[in-house]
Amino acid sequence: MSGRPPEPGRRSAALAGTTATARAVPLPVGAAAVSPTTGVTARTDGARPRGASPPCSACGAVHPPAPAIPGPPPGADVWHIGLDGGGDALGPVASLLDTRERDRAARTRDRPSADRYVLTHGAVRTILGGYLRIAGCTVHWSVGRHGKPGFDGPLSHWQWSLSRSAEHALLAVCLSAPVGVDIERVDDRTPAVALAARFLPPDEAACVAAQETPHAARVAYHRLLSRKEACVKASGGRLLDGLRLNVLTPGTVHGTGVMAGKRWQLRDLSAPPGFVATLAVLDDEVRGLRLFDWGRRAPGPEPGNFRPPAPPSAAGQVPRSLPFEFQRPPAEPGPRGECSR
């Protein structure tokens, strides 16, 4: 969540007019009008600005183009979505959202949070639409009991997971197995040692307590939570059921308790400074991993990997973090968000 206090009565700039009743005012031919619903600028003479994308054939709005995606994911694709400084991008992105998403953004009274929600879901729609070769505004999904998104019918083999924290979001896409991704901000106020002792298995609590500095303890604690969250998101569960999973090291994780019989492959991801991130794939290995940045700068290295203590019970268990770097998708033209219904 943003550390900025809520701004009463202010909603996302892109959706500021969604609940107001607007009076129609005639405009001269050739003038520009702004949609009170989407914030998209359109010309009354039907012309579009030079270089602009054509109107979507599905809804008539002008959406941002889908990123150029180099084919289906060979294993898992992870997209970083930067959510700071949305600015002029919010209007076109907001035109992709469905009624449910617009309503949720309009109900969010904290404007930065509402803007980040709009930008996250708009980006997700452009990316998924690019994979599926359909307009982002026509991408529809259902949500499981604990919030796991998924496609129904012939698209059900496309597995994906979304995580958002402060000004960053991650989207994971996979064809081989259910996938879960998580990004967490390392909160300087977290009483890491006390929380680890209360909620985590003894060896993980000992790992957190053995860190040399309070900051290192917080990084270790949030890293462990991120690994658990990625696992439960891949399986469609809830974090409460996954707190007892032993995720001291990435790799193969076996379920316990209500999650007995499940198996995940865990992989730590690079994350922006002050954050940790994890990818989990259910019942399968991550055979190939591609990391992309959605139209923004690549995140820097993650904040200091932690090393657990090495008592006899945890000998050789050194958490590994793979130093991947996010890259922009290739510049050549790819499937666009306004292709078809």
Side-chain angles (χ1 to χ4, degrees):
M1 295 179 63
S2 171
R4 186 179 306 175
E7 303 178 49
R10 299 186 66 186
R11 294 170 296 180
S12 171
L15 299 171
T18 52
T19 58
T21 301
R23 180 170 59 89
V25 179
L27 293 173
V29 174
V34 179
S35 165
T37 303
T38 66
V40 178
T41 301
R43 292 173 57 93
T44 58
D45 59 1
R48 65 175 184 267
R50 181 177 301 176
S53 300
C56 173
S57 61
C59 69
V62 177
H63 306 313
I69 299 173
D77 285 358
V78 178
W79 291 78
H80 168 256
I81 304 168
L83 304 178
D84 53 343
D88 295 338
L90 282 175
V93 165
S95 68
L96 292 161
L97 273 58
D98 63 18
T99 302
R100 179 187 58 184
E101 293 166 315
R102 291 169 186 263
D103 288 346
R104 175 170 173 177
R107 291 194 306 269
T108 304
R109 300 182 67 85
D110 177 37
R111 180 168 173 173
S113 296
D115 287 351
R116 288 170 178 173
Y117 175 86
V118 170
L119 194 55
T120 299
H121 281 244
V124 167
R125 287 178 170 275
T126 66
I127 295 168
L128 294 179
Y131 282 111
L132 302 175
R133 297 180 177 271
I134 61 176
C137 62
T138 65
V139 176
H140 299 292
W141 60 83
S142 59
V143 178
R145 177 182 177 186
H146 299 298
K148 181 175 175 59
F151 296 129
D152 298 321
L155 297 178
S156 60
H157 60 290
W158 284 90
Q159 301 286 327
W160 60 282
S161 176
L162 174 66
S163 180
R164 179 165 60 100
S165 180
E167 67 271 23
H168 298 281
L170 293 181
L171 170 68
V173 182
C174 186
L175 281 173
S176 61
V179 65
V181 71
D182 184 72
I183 182 169
E184 290 205 16
R185 181 174 59 180
V186 179
D187 192 337
D188 289 338
R189 299 167 297 178
T190 301
V193 175
L195 290 176
R198 180 177 180 183
F199 294 110
L200 303 186
D203 55 346
E204 294 180 352
C207 167
V208 174
Q211 301 305 306
E212 295 181 357
T213 66
H215 176 72
R218 288 189 288 268
V219 172
Y221 175 74
H222 283 284
R223 168 69 74 195
L224 293 168
L225 282 189
S226 179
R227 291 172 178 173
K228 296 171 191 287
E229 183 75 28
C231 287
V232 298
K233 291 176 74 171
S235 58
R238 55 179 184 163
L239 181 59
L240 182 63
D241 295 332
L243 285 176
R244 308 307 294 180
L245 291 175
N246 193 319
V247 294
L248 191 58
T249 59
T252 303
V253 173
H254 295 278
T256 58
V258 297
M259 309 194 83
K262 298 184 182 298
R263 180 174 63 90
W264 301 266
Q265 292 295 326
L266 270 182
R267 206 161 189 173
D268 290 342
L269 299 174
S270 294
F275 292 77
V276 292
T278 313
L279 176 72
V281 177
L282 185 65
D283 293 328
D284 199 6
E285 296 181 4
V286 184
R287 293 186 174 86
L289 181 61
R290 302 186 301 189
L291 304 180
F292 299 105
D293 186 68
W294 185 77
R296 297 178 184 274
R297 65 183 183 276
E302 58 198 320
N305 304 324
F306 68 92
R307 292 180 177 271
S313 60
Q317 295 184 337
V318 179
R320 296 163 291 161
S321 181
L322 303 178
F324 292 107
E325 293 182 357
F326 285 82
Q327 57 185 325
R328 293 184 183 275
E332 62 266 17
R336 301 177 68 85
E338 65 276 355
C339 295
S340 59
R341 288 183 180 271

